[in-house]
Structures are given as C-alpha cells and as structure tokens.
Amino acid sequence: FNVDGKDTDRGQYIRAYRESTVNSPVKDVNNKDLRCRTDKMNAKDTQNLTLTAGVKFGLEFHEGDEDTTRFIEPAHRGPGLIYLAPLESNGEGDVWFKIFEKGYDPKTKKFYTEVLMKSGGKMEFTIPEDIKGGDYLMRTEFIALHTADKEYTAKSKDDGAEFFPNCAQIKLISKGTLEPKGYPIPGIYKSNDPGILFNLWDKYDSYVIPGPPMYNADAGTPVNQEGGPPGDEGEPSDEGGEPTKPTKSSKPAKPTTPTNPDKPI
C-alpha cells in the first residue's frame, strides 16, 4: 500500500500471503481458498490499515518476494477486481460486494493485467464515499486466462482459469451509510462462466467480466471507476508493446507455468 505518500511494509495488513500453506493459484471456484488464497483466516493475526473513503491511495502487486519489479508472468492476461466484506463476517456468507472491475479494453486491445504490467504492478484507487465506515476485508483479485480455454475439473486440474486473490484488513473512515448487497465467496463464479471459460488464444474483441454486478450508489448509476496506474486517471494506456511471450501462432501452445507458481502476487 501507499497511503499519504508513504509505502507500508511489504505484505503488511495482508492475510498470510507468505505462508507455505497458501493455495496459489486457486483453480477450483468452489474452494473456500477463493476468498483470500489462504486458510489463515484469524483476523487477530493481521493489522488493520486505516483508509478514508473518497481519498486516493496506492496499491502495488508483485509476482514474488524475490522479484521486486515484475507484476505477473506476461502470459497471465486477464481482469482485475476488488471486493469488500465486513471484517466481522470473516468473509463467510453473502457478504462480498464488488467496488472495482476492469477487464478487456477493445480500443487498446489490452487486458487490465497488461496495464499493470506496464506500471510495474502499481495502481491507484478510491473507495466510494457512500460506503458505510467500519472494518472490512478488502479482496483484490486477478484472473489469469492463459489456460482458461478448457474447463477446470477434478480430472483436469491443469486446465481452467487461475485465480490470485489477496485479502487486506482495513478500517474505513467514512460518513457514508450504504451497506451494499453481498454475495458469497465461493459462490460468485461457475467454472463455465463466459469470463472464466475463455479462449485467450482465439480471436476476440470483447470479454465478459465474471462475478456479481458492480456495487452501485443507486440503481442505474454506475460507479466511477479508477484503478489506473499512478497519474493515469484510470484510463488504460494504449502505449507499449504486447507481452513478449508466449508467441501466438495458428495453433498456439499453452504457456509454461511460471518458475515459482506458488508465490503470491
């Protein structure tokens, strides 16, 4: 995190992302680890970061502790999402509501992960001001689609999308009173949803972001999304080249698994 121009310690305020028991990546959409990618779910083990609704702060993501510059394996293209849930729920039940989503931009022909690849894994974000203040789990998620052309099953565990969620604990300072409708995790995705069963290696000009609808301040009024690289005002950049690998051919091979697939983002 970067709050008021100051970086927090790496991994601070984030649940057990360095633990050896971390499930990374999560493949089964019905696995409870889809919540936070860890079974270390005791709130007392993690500090709460104070954030103010309506005030911009920074988030930074990296592939692993030994790599301080790369955001993610270049082949891992896909959407980025952010959810909130009351901390007292510990993520259980119909409690998660979505406050951010960015998928594929047909103008730039880039997925949101590609935008963050260019920014070095850095993004800026603002929690809506009308959300009720209190303690929350903030769940960030990236979905890698490089093996999503086939559905994940118990018999084909190498197939299917890869999910990289992390959960931070925050204390939200807000004058808002809104408590948006919540959804369960697991339960928000099906393995054959259009945005999860998706052929990245075929031609496409659109992408359906999976999961429940975005939180709305009121019916018919979409939330103003930011989530761009610092200074980008939330709009994906159309500069920069495509990821250098894997090379796409008429019959593209699936990319290899990253050197350290078990390292969290």
Side-chain angles (χ1 to χ4, degrees), residues 81-83 96-101 180-183 188-189 209-216 223 225:
L81 312 96
I82 300 177
Y83 293 81
W96 295 96
F97 57 95
K98 188 191 295 182
I99 60 172
F100 171 82
E101 62 178 18
K181 173 180 172 60
Y183 298 85
I188 55 172
Y189 303 141
I209 298 175
M214 270 282 297
Y215 138 81
N216 282 321
V223 170
Q225 295 185 54

Side-chain angles (χ1 to χ4, degrees), residues 61-138:
F61 305 89
H62 293 293
E63 186 176 34
D65 286 339
E66 78 289 344
D67 187 335
T68 59
T69 57
R70 191 165 82 164
F71 159 54
I72 199 171
E73 168 74 23
H76 285 36
R77 288 174 281 172
L81 312 96
I82 300 177
Y83 293 81
L84 289 180
L87 183 60
E88 64 183 6
S89 72
N90 208 28
E92 298 182 3
D94 296 351
V95 294
W96 295 96
F97 57 95
K98 188 191 295 182
I99 60 172
F100 171 82
E101 62 178 18
K102 281 198 182 268
Y104 177 75
D105 186 338
K107 294 182 180 179
T108 63
K109 301 186 183 303
K110 295 182 185 297
F111 275 95
Y112 187 61
T113 55
E114 295 176 89
V115 177
L116 292 191
M117 287 177 200
K118 183 180 176 183
S119 72
K122 296 180 180 181
M123 66 177 284
E124 291 181 334
F125 187 66
T126 303
I127 297 176
E129 293 182 82
D130 53 0
I131 299 296
K132 182 180 179 179
D135 296 339
Y136 288 92
L137 279 172
M138 184 174 73

Side-chain angles (χ1 to χ4, degrees), residues 206-228:
S206 64
Y207 173 78
V208 179
I209 298 175
M214 270 282 297
Y215 138 81
N216 282 321
D218 55 57
T221 305
V223 170
N224 179 30
Q225 295 185 54
E226 296 184 47

Side-chain angles (χ1 to χ4, degrees), residues 162-214:
E162 295 184 352
F163 301 85
F164 296 90
N166 282 327
C167 290
Q169 291 184 193
I170 67 169
K171 177 180 287 294
L172 181 65
I173 306 301
S174 174
K175 295 181 180 179
T177 59
L178 193 62
E179 298 178 78
K181 173 180 172 60
Y183 298 85
I185 298 178
I188 55 172
Y189 303 141
K190 295 181 180 178
S191 60
N192 60 355
D193 283 345
I196 293 174
L197 183 61
F198 182 83
N199 192 344
L200 192 66
W201 312 112
D202 201 355
K203 292 182 179 179
Y204 54 87
D205 55 16
S206 64
Y207 173 78
V208 179
I209 298 175
M214 270 282 297

